[in-house]
Structure formats: C-alpha cells, structure tokens
Amino acid sequence: MFLEMSAAANLDEIGAFCRLLGTKMGFEYFIYALRVPRQFTESRVVLLKGYPDAWLSHYWQNDYAGLDPVIRHCSRHVVPVLWHDLPDSPAKPAGRVMDEAREFGMKTGISMPVHSPRGSLGILSFATGIDDAEARAATRQLSPYVQLLAAHLHEAILRVSGCREEQQLTQQLTRRETECLRWAADGKTSWEIGQLLNMSERTVNFHFNNAAKKLSVVTRQHAVAKAILYGFINPLPF
C-alpha cells in the first residue's frame, strides 16, 4: 500500500488510500493537514479531509486552530499522541476543543506530526466514535503503523501538491552566503563576520547582498528570517 501511495497521481488518490487504511485499522475518520511556510505571517495549507464537514465548519468558524491541543503537541514533538493523553478539562480552551470534537462523533483518536527540513509541518489524525478501554488500547497498538504511514503520506503530498518545488524555487545559496547569514543570526556585524571568516567587511556585505537577491528580500533581518524559515541555515555542526 505504501508503494501505491508513492505512485499516486493526485491528492484524491492519496486521500482514498488514507480512507481505506483508516477503515482497515478501525477508524471512521481521518484528516491530514500540511502547513508549508511562505512567510512567517502566511503559509500554504493542504488538507486531505476525512472528518465530518459539520465539525470542520465549526472548527474553522471558531478559529480553533490556535487552541487545538493536537496542533500544539505536533508543533513541539516528533512522536504520535493519543487523544486521551491530551488535556481534557472542559474549563480550559484546549479541553473544550476536544470535548466538542467528541460531540461530533470523534471520541478516540491518534495524531502524528511530520516535520520537514524546509520547515513544513504535517499532521495525520485518525479517529473513531467508539470510546472505551478496548478502543484506546487498540489505538495505542496502532501507533507505530500510524507513524510509518504519516512519513510516506507526507512525502506523497509534497510531491503531488507541488509544495516541494515551490520551496526549491529560491536559488541555492553559496557556502559563503550561508556562513554570513549564520553568523548574522548570532548577532554578528559585518566587521565581526569579516574577522571570523578572514575577509573584508566589503566582501561580507557583497555576500549579504547576493543572498538577499536570491531570497527576494531587502533587509538583512528579513534575509536571516527567511533563511531560517526555509531551512537554508541551521545551527552547526550539522
């Protein structure tokens, strides 16, 4: 099935695979949300929807993305989370989101984050309307399979949606440009960077200007922010 997903031609085919695999695992519902950053104030979102339309409408109308404990967990971790391990106090906003999800029939579930080198975040969730000890135990046992599925699904969606190509449109930075941006991210001035890299301040500024053109930015601060956002610079040693 994973091989079939890797050969899928579009999002509809991938969604059909997810629905089929979810059913085989005992889940009635699924969703996959992919966030691909374009700027810090804007991202492209790709959705494979297998949740009730009524719940999705309710979710977006109430702006629950900022309160959702699933998103909070997945943005900070790399392992799956079982929904019954999340905060569930209805007195707290995060607990209210999950409490209302149960009212729409999604009572037991699991969510798996996938983080990409270029800053994108994918979240795969499966849910069932059954809420008992047996359903929770079965969901826990399926965690490794959901984790494996999410990785293959993430790659397939990046491929067919064109998101990977969008993120690769930026011209590749040279080694010197990357070094200058990395030191600037640590607060170093052009003169200080020149001393560290054994080059003149003018040469450092030359590399910054070239990097800014490639990143389609104007200021040095914006260049550093965009390089970090897209994963062009990372802390050493790797």
Side-chain angles (χ1 to χ4, degrees):
M1 185 64 73
F2 291 149
L3 291 176
E4 293 176 328
M5 185 177 296
S6 66
N10 52 56
L11 291 175
D12 288 339
E13 289 186 9
I14 296 174
F17 287 135
C18 277
R19 189 178 302 278
L20 177 59
L21 289 170
T23 300
K24 288 184 176 180
M25 290 187 290
F27 298 112
E28 302 103 287
Y29 309 108
F30 82 93
I31 195 167
Y32 191 80
L34 172 66
R35 183 197 68 199
V36 182
R38 288 176 169 170
Q39 303 179 66
F40 278 98
T41 55
E42 177 193 3
S43 296
R44 178 183 175 187
V45 176
V46 180
L47 288 177
L48 289 185
K49 296 184 289 186
Y51 274 4
D53 289 336
W55 166 246
L56 291 175
S57 296
H58 180 75
Y59 185 95
W60 295 117
Q61 287 172 4
N62 287 277
D63 196 24
Y64 277 168
L67 305 174
D68 193 339
V70 168
I71 293 179
R72 185 177 304 167
H73 170 92
C74 290
S75 65
R76 300 174 181 177
H77 300 86
V78 295
V79 294
V81 62
L82 304 176
W83 288 5
H84 56 269
D85 291 334
L86 291 167
D88 59 0
S89 171
K92 297 181 180 180
R96 186 171 70 248
V97 173
M98 302 309 294
D99 205 44
E100 292 183 12
R102 295 186 188 99
E103 295 177 8
F104 282 83
M106 294 171 293
K107 300 178 179 179
T108 301
I110 181 173
S111 296
M112 174 64 205
V114 182
H115 297 266
S116 287
R118 297 298 187 192
S120 62
L121 168 64
I123 302 175
L124 173 63
S125 296
F126 287 105
T128 177
I130 303 173
D131 186 15
D132 56 28
E134 184 177 348
R136 292 183 177 189
T139 300
R140 188 178 298 277
Q141 290 178 350
L142 288 167
S143 294
Y145 190 78
V146 172
Q147 191 167 10
L148 180 61
L149 172 60
H152 286 271
L153 176 62
H154 187 80
E155 284 293 312
I157 292 179
L158 284 175
R159 175 177 55 81
V160 304
S161 65
C163 291
R164 177 176 285 126
E165 287 72 17
E166 285 181 11
Q167 291 190 313
Q168 291 176 344
L169 289 178
T170 302
Q171 299 180 57
Q172 291 299 308
L173 301 175
T174 66
R175 179 176 62 86
R176 281 304 196 191
E177 291 163 0
T178 299
E179 287 175 335
C180 290
L181 287 169
R182 185 181 288 118
W183 280 114
D186 276 343
K188 302 298 183 182
T189 65
S190 291
W191 182 86
E192 290 172 325
I193 295 171
Q195 296 300 302
L196 289 163
L197 299 181
N198 194 28
M199 64 177 70
S200 69
E201 184 175 354
R202 181 178 179 180
T203 301
V204 172
N205 290 331
F206 170 79
H207 290 309
F208 274 125
N209 289 334
N210 284 340
K213 290 177 183 178
K214 292 178 180 179
L215 293 168
S216 300
V217 301
V218 177
T219 67
R220 181 175 301 190
Q221 292 86 349
H222 193 186
V224 170
K226 194 167 185 179
I228 293 172
L229 181 68
Y230 279 81
F232 293 128
I233 59 174
N234 298 291
L236 294 175
F238 52 81

